[in-house]
Structure formats: C-alpha cells, structure tokens
Amino acid sequence: PMDKKIVLVKVHPDGMFVVDLDKSLEMSQVTPILRVALRNDSYTLHKILPSKIDPLVSLMMVEKVPDSTYDMVGGLDKQSKEIKEVIELLVKHPELFEALGIEQPKSVLLYGPPG
C-alpha cells in the first residue's frame, strides 16, 4: 500500500514522478491541478505555488498609482489635451471611436526632450 504522504507529480517535459510530501505540508492541502515546487536534491514536494500567471498579464500589473495630475505639467496644454483625447477618451468611451468609424490606436508615441 502507498503511504498517504506520497503524491504523483507531472513534471514537464520529463514525465511523472511519485514523490514524498514535505513534513510541513498536509495531504489535505494537495489537490489535482495544483502548481507545486519540488526540491532539486530529493524531489520532495515542499511548496504549493500560486495558480499560473500569464507573463504578459504580470507585465501589466499595477505597481503604483501615480499621484500626478495634468495640472502639474506646465506649458503643455495642447499636448495634455491630445493625450486626454487619444488615451483617456479611448478607455472611457470606446464606443465613440466605433461610431465615427475610427480604428482605435494601439499605442501612442511620445517624443521630445525630457523634463
């Protein structure tokens, strides 16, 4: 009979392994389709990982909400208005672009000296 502290783990591309469960984990925590970490030396399952995160999505995660406003940018009223029209309007009211038959821009190129 198999010990209750042994699990079958699929490791890409190597195949499947029957591995021991670390003492710090309970069998009730382990369920199918979990992402787990195995120790390199013993192949003991020692950590349950968070569900898979798409790398493209993780690149787009909010790290900090800026506290800057358009009022803080002096002397660039025309440029601020253009950015608002292209970026904010697109996000807040995409139906306006569709109604006018304008293809939504995929990006905006800002150029010029910094500062």
Side-chain angles (χ1 to χ4, degrees):
M2 290 191 77
D3 186 353
K4 291 190 186 257
K5 288 283 226 171
I6 293 178
V7 293
L8 180 65
V9 178
K10 187 173 188 179
V11 181
H12 292 286
D14 300 330
M16 293 189 194
F17 295 97
V18 175
V19 299
D20 291 316
L21 196 61
D22 192 77
K23 293 173 187 162
S24 64
L25 294 174
E26 293 296 321
M27 194 64 185
S28 60
Q29 296 174 282
V30 181
T31 59
I33 316 296
L34 276 179
R35 293 180 65 234
V36 296
L38 303 178
R39 293 196 189 279
N40 282 341
D41 55 349
S42 63
Y43 269 73
T44 302
L45 190 156
H46 75 100
K47 189 173 184 180
I48 297 173
L49 301 174
S51 60
K52 189 171 184 174
I53 297 172
D54 184 343
L56 295 176
V57 173
S58 66
L59 290 174
M60 295 182 261
M61 292 173 67
V62 175
E63 291 183 9
K64 179 184 173 193
V65 177
D67 56 358
S68 305
T69 65
Y70 287 108
D71 297 331
M72 295 173 146
V73 180
L76 298 174
D77 295 333
K78 180 183 173 197
Q79 290 82 357
S80 294
K81 182 181 176 192
E82 289 175 355
I83 289 173
K84 285 180 186 179
E85 288 175 355
V86 173
I87 297 174
E88 285 186 15
L89 198 58
L90 170 63
V91 173
K92 292 180 180 177
H93 303 286
E95 69 277 0
L96 294 176
F97 284 81
E98 292 173 16
L100 294 172
I102 301 171
E103 188 174 330
Q104 298 176 356
K106 295 187 179 6
S107 63
V108 175
L109 176 63
L110 302 175
Y111 62 94

